[in-house]
Amino acid sequence: MTDVKMFAPANVFRDGLSGLVVFLVALPLCLGVAVASGADPFTGLLAGIVGGLVVGILSGSHTSVSGPAAGLTAVVATEIGALGTYEAFLAAVVLAGILQLGLGVIKAGFLAEYFPTSVIKGLLAAIGVILILKQIPHLFGHDTDIEGEMSFNQPDNENTFTELWATLTDLHAGAMAVGLVSLVILFFWHRWKWASRVGMPAALFVVILGVVATLLLRKLGGEWMIGKSHLVEVPRAGSAAEFASFLHFPDWGILSSPRVYRSALTIGLVATLETLLNLEAVDRIDPKRRISPPNRELLAQGAGNIASGMIGGLPVTSVIVRSSVNIQTGNVTKLSTIFHGALLLLCVGFIPHILNLIPLASLAAILIYTGYKLAAPKLMKEMWARGRTQFLPFVVTVLAIVLTDLLIGIIIGLGTALAFILYSNLRAPVRTVREEHIGGDVIRIELGNQVSFLNKASLGETLLSLKRGDQVLFDARATDYMDPDVEDMLLEFDRVTGPARGIDVSLLGFRGSEALSDKIRFVDTSTSEVQKELSPEDVLRLLHAGNERFRTGKRLSRDFGRQKDATADGQFPLAVLLSCIDSRTPAELVFDLGLGDIFSVRIAGNVAKEKVFGSIEYSCAVAGAKLVVVMGHTRCGAVTSSVKLFEADKSALEATGCGNLDALVRNIQRSVHKEDFPDHELSGEELSELADRVARRNVLATLQAIREQSDVLRGLSNRHEILLCGAMYDVKGGGVEFFDEAGQPLDLTEPEAAAPKKALPGAV
């Protein structure tokens, strides 16, 4: 998105409203994260300001909002204690920022591509669940737990569930009224017509309503009054000097201690992991589906942590809660993020007394609504529909984050997803496919992209399942890495075990291996031996099987260069196909064939005249083809045009100016009858159906012409040396229907006694 669009008046207005709501939500969260980390509350505000201004300006994301993160509270508290002083900790934050700059320079953001979808969606759902569970107490006025505390076990020795139980005995009437009314407004805002005329997000409306309610209830007094403990508490400075006293600066003397570098490494790596995860998650809920550049984000985060550490702020990361609010309030550009940072700076410095009128119950309602959006029931249904390999890591991630904390939960979720990946690789390191080649069945074993020692056991089981006489092809074309142990196993099977068990081994795609080299031992194109061995019925079944592969997208892997060399000195095709010149009906593709497998005669409308008879006679009587197939097809242009010309009683010359077409048209029109036409003009669908019927009749007419006008082919057929049959190809579905000269469907099933076909001699 360009800067011109960013500063367009309409966008500035929308981003301003979004930034204002994000600011209101971020304010107590910044304070709460600081307290939960064992730091001064103001350090959280400083981090929020830096996250909005510095990171917001440098980031390439239009949706992500950065600031102090709940996921870092345990790390921050631990490192402050380990380094002894907060100033020493700030030096570690600056070093962590430098580390992130380095990661951005070397483009380490690619790591974001390796986060499983199940974990990302589990993170979103878990944050949603946590927001709901953690904010329910604040919604009812039970504000003993600090805002921004997201871990299951809390600093006050309570946990998420015991805090909910304690809420039942600590309800505040005023806060509860404000919170529940706010929640109703948020959920029904989009259904009220008057709401669209208000001109502000629902979240901003409930905050203003909360402030007004606070002032009114203060006058009412008694148990309804919302006191200080139920409101936002922003530190107030009486003067510029007192404001400056809130700042802290790094203690550079700590740089001589190795401990500071370990702390910096911990902070930098954890902040980077959380940022990349949150960035990926936020992009998934962005309705505009914008992609945030991760490497630029690492540079921005690095600069942000350097700046935050230099002035006394906590470490910053991309934060999913604030980012989600940013998206749901309709932000357009990253100006909303920058605006929220500017508001933190200005309001904390000049109007903290106004901010301190905002009830926590209003903000709790906003966060509960945000949580519901993140953990919507439809997400659970979506993940369930994806199967257990996606659903189980998703559920484990959600439960782990909810019952521990963000960092530990993510690690557990990633570990679970990795376990499923390893399990999948262990179960299926290879894909085994039985292919029906011209010379017999071949078992093709496709090796995976990464074949490690973990795959040895499963691969060994696959090798043991092979039977004597099998032809096996190890296909390593998609393999980038193969463990030496696996390579040794294949080498032994190729040279010792396979031959001892009567198994022919072929290799493909091993060009990078020193021990294994490519070799193909099975027959991949028709040879003299293959042609002699197969009967006409066998050839017909081969064509049918090839069409099934074509129709289902399971075509054989062929080495056309090898086939070219193998057929250079001679050809022994199995069949001759007379088909239409239509560009959608290439016989070699429709029947999944290779070089040298068939003769192909193509002419518009698949009609037969003397020259065509001569080609077919040579194919069968001299070259040895066993099958003659006349193939028409649906939606045939030649047939459709012939039908139209018949109905209009025109010649091809009159209609097209192509005089030589008349011979073809007249030949096709022998299969058109006057009775085919109704009293009314044919509709488009009726014309197509009639053309398909005529195309089938035309195939039968051509078969009859071959039998009547070719003594050679008729004699070969009568002696059962060849088989004559017709076929109709469906250009839409890709299937071929075979039928005899009378139009009856042919039996294409294998004979019951037939065993899987072995390879024939003459391998190329």
Side-chain angles (χ1 to χ4, degrees), residues 3-87:
D3 290 340
V4 174
K5 290 184 178 179
M6 182 185 296
F7 293 105
N11 292 344
V12 170
F13 177 74
R14 290 184 62 183
D15 285 334
L17 291 177
S18 294
L20 178 56
V21 176
V22 174
F23 152 71
L24 294 171
V25 170
L27 185 64
L29 294 178
C30 289
L31 296 169
V33 169
V35 173
S37 303
D40 184 273
F42 198 75
T43 62
L45 292 176
L46 289 174
I49 292 168
V50 170
L53 295 178
V54 177
V55 179
I57 291 172
L58 298 178
S59 172
S61 174
H62 289 288
T63 53
S64 174
V65 180
S66 295
L72 282 175
T73 53
V75 173
V76 171
T78 300
E79 299 306 327
I80 291 175
L83 294 171
T85 66
Y86 186 72
E87 287 72 16

Side-chain angles (χ1 to χ4, degrees), residues 725-743:
C725 70
M728 279 294 292
Y729 170 64
D730 182 0
V731 296
K732 186 175 182 180
V736 174
E737 174 198 359
F738 291 95
F739 45 87
D740 62 20
E741 295 177 64

Side-chain angles (χ1 to χ4, degrees), residues 282-336:
V282 170
D283 283 346
R284 289 180 182 273
I285 60 175
D286 178 16
K288 298 181 177 65
R289 292 296 185 268
R290 290 166 289 189
I291 304 298
S292 303
N295 295 314
R296 180 172 170 180
E297 188 66 25
L298 289 181
L299 293 173
Q301 294 292 334
N305 276 316
I306 292 173
S308 186
M310 293 294 288
I311 62 174
L314 293 175
V316 298
T317 74
S318 172
V319 191
I320 199 166
V321 175
R322 275 155 268 185
S323 302
S324 301
V325 173
N326 190 33
I327 291 171
Q328 290 170 16
T329 49
N331 93 297
V332 182
T333 73
K334 66 179 183 179
L335 190 61
S336 59

Side-chain angles (χ1 to χ4, degrees), residues 229-414:
S229 62
H230 303 294
L231 301 170
V232 172
E233 294 185 66
V234 180
R236 299 175 65 175
S239 63
E242 187 178 352
F243 184 86
S245 68
F246 291 154
L247 303 178
H248 300 271
F249 303 98
D251 175 11
W252 301 115
I254 195 68
L255 294 181
S256 60
S257 170
R259 186 65 181 81
V260 72
Y261 299 100
R262 187 163 54 179
S263 296
L265 182 64
T266 301
I267 296 168
L269 293 181
V270 173
T272 296
L273 174 64
E274 188 165 339
T275 289
L276 292 177
L277 273 167
N278 288 339
L279 201 67
E280 184 80 8
V282 170
D283 283 346
R284 289 180 182 273
I285 60 175
D286 178 16
K288 298 181 177 65
R289 292 296 185 268
R290 290 166 289 189
I291 304 298
S292 303
N295 295 314
R296 180 172 170 180
E297 188 66 25
L298 289 181
L299 293 173
Q301 294 292 334
N305 276 316
I306 292 173
S308 186
M310 293 294 288
I311 62 174
L314 293 175
V316 298
T317 74
S318 172
V319 191
I320 199 166
V321 175
R322 275 155 268 185
S323 302
S324 301
V325 173
N326 190 33
I327 291 171
Q328 290 170 16
T329 49
N331 93 297
V332 182
T333 73
K334 66 179 183 179
L335 190 61
S336 59
T337 301
I338 299 170
F339 188 58
H340 116 275
L343 284 175
L344 281 172
L345 176 62
L346 294 174
C347 295
V348 167
F350 296 103
I351 54 170
H353 57 287
I354 296 178
L355 301 178
N356 289 343
L357 292 174
I358 300 174
L360 294 176
S362 296
L363 300 178
I366 296 172
L367 293 175
I368 288 174
Y369 181 71
T370 300
Y372 172 77
K373 289 290 188 180
L374 292 175
K378 67 178 182 180
L379 178 59
M380 184 71 71
K381 293 180 181 178
E382 175 191 335
M383 297 308 294
W384 174 264
R386 293 190 175 193
R388 65 176 184 174
T389 58
Q390 289 286 309
F391 181 72
L392 290 180
F394 165 78
V395 170
V396 169
T397 302
V398 172
L399 293 176
I401 293 176
V402 171
L403 297 177
T404 57
D405 61 33
L406 185 64
L407 182 60
I408 294 175
I410 287 173
I411 293 173
I412 293 174
L414 287 173

Side-chain angles (χ1 to χ4, degrees), residues 128-149:
V129 172
I130 291 174
L131 283 176
I132 294 171
L133 296 177
K134 290 288 188 179
Q135 294 300 320
I136 286 176
H138 296 295
L139 187 77
F140 289 94
H142 179 66
D143 297 310
T144 57
D145 184 35
I146 53 177
E147 278 281 6
E149 212 298 300

